[in-house]
């Protein structure tokens, strides 16, 4: 097998895995809408949380998998099915993702959350109030 055929096979596997993940997420959404799953039993549950002291080993492992230095400062962790698959610095910088898990969209989501955490509280309150007013059919104050 030459390198081009190996790359094509790897890309095909990635597409098949992404499609299978998409189908699983869609099935879970349909089940939730139908009321068939209970909280805590959803296998596609994603949790974004702040890193704690005991998460240092997992962050170091993600850094090793990415051949990157261990990041410093406050981190957000992304858990998929109870397993930490990504770490994102709150202050900004390079995120660490498990190269063996589909993490691109999860990292994007965590980076957006980190950006919100960096915003001053006054700006957050203003954006939330404008959003709530829009949802309730009111025009945002200028």
């Amino acid at each position: 097998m030459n390198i081009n055929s190996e790359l094509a096979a790897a890309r095909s596997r990635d597409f098949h895995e992404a499609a299978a993940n998409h189908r699983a997420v869609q099935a879970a959404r349909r089940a939730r809408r139908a009321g068939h799953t209970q909280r805590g039993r959803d296998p596609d549950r994603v949790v974004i949380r702040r890193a704690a002291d005991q998460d240092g080993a997992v962050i170091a492992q993600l850094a090793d998998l990415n051949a990157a230095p261990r990041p410093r400062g406050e981190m957000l962790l992304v858990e998929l099915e109870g397993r930490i698959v990504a770490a994102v610095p709150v202050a900004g910088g390079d995120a660490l993702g498990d190269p063996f898990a589909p993490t691109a969209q999860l990292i994007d989501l965590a980076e957006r959350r980190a950006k919100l955490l960096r915003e001053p509280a006054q700006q957050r309150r203003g954006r939330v109030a404008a959003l709530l007013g829009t949802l309730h059919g009111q025009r945002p104050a200028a």
Side-chain angles (χ1 to χ4, degrees), residues 48 74-76 88-92 107-119 124:
I48 298 176
E74 187 178 10
M75 301 289 286
L76 289 180
V88 174
V90 172
I107 288 173
D108 183 53
L109 189 63
E111 286 174 338
R112 290 174 190 223
R113 177 66 180 134
K115 182 179 176 188
L116 287 174
L117 291 173
R118 289 190 302 265
E119 264 185 13
R124 281 196 308 267

Side-chain angles (χ1 to χ4, degrees), residues 100 116 127 139:
F100 305 106
L116 287 174
R127 279 194 312 107
R139 296 186 138 246

Side-chain angles (χ1 to χ4, degrees), residues 9 29 32 35-36 39 45 52 63 67 82 94 102 106 113 117 135:
R29 286 180 182 159
R32 271 194 297 273
H36 295 307
R39 187 180 176 132
R45 184 172 170 194
D94 292 334
L106 300 174
R113 177 66 180 134
L117 291 173
L135 291 174

Side-chain angles (χ1 to χ4, degrees), residues 117-135:
L117 291 173
R118 289 190 302 265
E119 264 185 13
Q122 184 81 19
Q123 279 182 328
R124 281 196 308 267
R125 280 193 292 272
R127 279 194 312 107
V128 169
L131 177 62
L132 290 175
T134 302
L135 291 174

Side-chain angles (χ1 to χ4, degrees), residues 12 32 34 37 50 81 101 107 123 137:
S12 177
R32 271 194 297 273
T37 58
R50 292 179 192 256
E81 299 175 4
I107 288 173
Q123 279 182 328

